Amino acid sequence: MTPKIMIILGSGSDIAIAEKSMDILDKLEIPYSLKIASAHRTPNLVREIVTQGTDAGIEVFIGIAGLAAHLPGTIAAFTPRPVIGVPVDVKAAGIDALQSVVQMPYPSPIATVGIDRGDNAAILAAQFIGLHNEEVHNKVVELRKEYARKVINSNEEIVQQIDRPFINNDFLRVKNLEISKVEPDESDVNCKNQDAEVVIIVGRQTDVVTAKKVAAILDRLKITHDMKVVCPIRSNKKFINYVKCMKNAKVFIGVSSNSSQVTGGIVGITARPVIGVPCTNENGDDYMLTTVSMPPGVPVATVGINNGKNAAVLAGEILAINNPEIVQLLDKLKDKKINL
């Protein structure tokens, strides 16, 4: 059975993080390969594993590394396939590895997940593959439902077991609540292209500059897209309507500053891949950590701060898994950048 995903560890000491990925892939029944190769100590081995793996049919690479964490970037140098990076907590609480993995130069994005989140890397890889394989997509949807049930069941397993004099455990008891399904109102969508493959959602007007960079690269890759400025906090109904009504969207890109509620809002609604572009606000604060540090089950493929161009390239790599025309356009785009 030819694997669809290759997991590469920078060191054997990272195996516990890789096991999180393997547990998810085993559950989803997606074939994968596992290798150990160092970007610094065995660079030729990394090159051969990645190039030969790509030629053999690997669709997504997962690079797991700590410290300088150059492995995911090195993988990206040798393949047109999307690369997911998992920074590992070895020193400095893993922040050093996270910064190294996520802050990649254009046009070489790494779909970065949270520190030690090998599980979210596997889910993200499955989402990428699920765009081109309905069976895998359906398995991801079911897995997300399991995560949701775990949260709901914890009310009975944890909350109902608490015995304190002033707690009323039976008030709005969760197991008895009827949770209504929110139906989208297409008349309230107001979009230019409801059939877009990629949807760009901007949280604040001040972040539109970064979002326009996303759109410009998508145009060069001939990928249809739509863009809307809407905040899930200030305009929750409109936000939900818009996401739900973009039924043909394959990839969502959230562009936001100020706690990055946009990407968090999107992943709560759709099982499609979500790319996060953290931005700086008017005070110079950045929101990379609030974008990338997602809980298990709901990954955001985070790119560098204000790097809308890399978000577009990543979307192209995801869609190019079964689209040779986009691969060619990506090659031209990358070659032109190098020649500059």
Side-chain angles (χ1 to χ4, degrees), residues 48-94:
E48 291 303 323
I49 287 174
V50 174
T51 55
Q52 293 186 37
T54 300
D55 292 343
I58 294 294
E59 297 180 353
V60 183
F61 288 86
I62 298 175
I64 301 175
L67 301 174
H70 294 156
L71 178 62
T74 302
I75 295 171
F78 299 114
T79 182
R81 298 305 184 201
V83 179
I84 299 170
V86 185
V88 178
D89 178 6
V90 179
K91 299 287 185 181

Side-chain angles (χ1 to χ4, degrees), residues 100-334:
S100 179
V101 174
V102 76
Q103 298 287 17
M104 291 290 292
Y106 167 75
S108 302
I110 299 298
T112 308
V113 296
I115 297 167
D116 292 346
R117 287 261 69 96
D119 45 1
N120 271 354
I123 293 169
L124 194 60
Q127 287 179 318
F128 293 174
I129 292 170
L131 291 178
H132 317 285
N133 185 316
E134 192 66 21
E135 182 180 355
V136 172
H137 172 70
N138 290 336
K139 288 179 180 178
V140 172
V141 171
E142 287 304 312
L143 180 64
R144 284 168 58 93
K145 289 179 181 178
E146 283 187 30
Y147 279 102
R149 285 193 293 269
K150 184 176 180 180
V151 173
I152 293 171
N153 292 341
S154 64
N155 283 277
E156 291 297 313
E157 296 167 359
I158 299 174
V159 176
Q160 290 301 130
Q161 307 307 315
I162 297 174
D163 183 14
R164 287 176 174 268
F166 291 98
I167 190 170
N168 186 340
N169 290 333
D170 292 327
F171 177 72
L172 295 179
R173 191 163 179 173
V174 170
K175 76 170 187 177
N176 298 329
L177 284 180
E178 182 177 343
I179 303 175
S180 59
K181 185 178 180 181
V182 178
E183 296 295 339
D185 180 4
E186 297 196 16
S187 65
D188 191 38
V189 174
N190 188 26
C191 65
K192 294 181 180 179
N193 185 4
Q194 197 165 346
D195 294 324
E197 290 182 286
V198 175
V199 173
I200 309 164
I201 303 181
V202 194
R204 303 199 311 164
Q205 198 67 40
T206 52
D207 299 328
V208 170
V209 173
T210 298
K212 285 183 176 179
K213 294 178 181 178
V214 179
I217 300 300
L218 291 175
D219 284 337
R220 291 178 64 181
L221 296 175
K222 299 181 181 180
I223 296 172
T224 59
H225 56 88
D226 193 71
M227 183 192 302
K228 191 174 185 65
V229 180
V230 59
C231 176
I233 304 302
R234 292 176 292 206
S235 305
N236 184 258
K237 183 179 178 182
K238 287 185 178 180
F239 182 89
I240 293 174
N241 275 336
Y242 182 65
V243 174
K244 284 182 172 287
C245 286
M246 301 305 289
K247 298 175 183 176
N248 294 322
K250 296 179 179 178
V251 178
F252 287 85
I253 299 177
V255 182
S256 62
S257 55
N258 290 2
S259 86
S260 308
Q261 292 283 352
V262 169
T263 50
I266 298 170
V267 296
I269 301 172
T270 180
R272 295 301 185 187
V274 177
I275 299 172
V277 187
C279 296
T280 51
N281 69 3
E282 59 276 7
N283 297 319
D285 300 320
D286 72 71
Y287 292 85
M288 186 260 288
L289 286 176
T290 56
T291 303
V292 74
S293 298
M294 294 296 292
V298 280
V300 169
T302 303
V303 297
I305 298 164
N306 297 327
N307 203 335
K309 290 182 178 181
N310 261 1
V313 172
L314 178 58
E317 290 175 340
I318 296 167
L319 296 175
I321 288 175
N322 72 341
N323 190 326
E325 293 181 7
I326 298 180
V327 173
Q328 292 177 0
L329 290 170
L330 282 167
D331 285 343
K332 290 180 181 178
L333 183 150
K334 293 181 179 182

